[in-house]
Amino acid sequence: MKISVELTLTPLHDDYEPSIIHFIKKLRASGLTVLENPLSTQVYGDYDEVMQLLTTEIKEAFTLIERGLLYMKIVKSDRHDYEPHF
């Protein structure tokens, strides 16, 4: 089953950029399709692969930050090639 996941990592402390950059680089290195914009990062692929990656990388991200939030949306389909029609 293919899924699309949108993630927004929000460390709740000063000097937050290194934590976010590290998290995104780890997602990029996974070999899965990863797209970014200024507000979120999207990961696309097989459910089991994506969720295994996220379990590992979210845990690491949380160990590297003092406090933080992670917002996650999951869609049951691969939407990496979506283009708006307006």
Side-chain angles (χ1 to χ4, degrees), residues 59-72:
K59 184 175 183 177
E60 180 179 334
F62 280 172
T63 62
L64 296 174
I65 61 177
E66 185 177 334
R67 288 178 305 280
L69 302 170
L70 181 98
Y71 297 95
M72 181 167 57

Side-chain angles (χ1 to χ4, degrees), residues 12 17 19 29 36 67-68 76:
L12 300 174
E17 285 183 358
S19 303
E36 302 137 28
R67 288 178 305 280
K76 184 186 171 191

Side-chain angles (χ1 to χ4, degrees), residues 1-35:
M1 159 184 15
K2 298 293 185 181
I3 62 171
S4 303
V5 180
E6 180 180 62
L7 303 159
T8 302
L9 176 62
T10 309
L12 300 174
H13 55 80
D14 294 334
D15 194 32
Y16 56 86
E17 285 183 358
S19 303
I20 295 171
I21 291 168
H22 179 76
F23 182 64
I24 293 171
K25 284 184 176 182
K26 295 292 293 263
L27 297 177
R28 286 180 185 165
S30 71
L32 294 171
T33 301
V34 177
L35 301 175

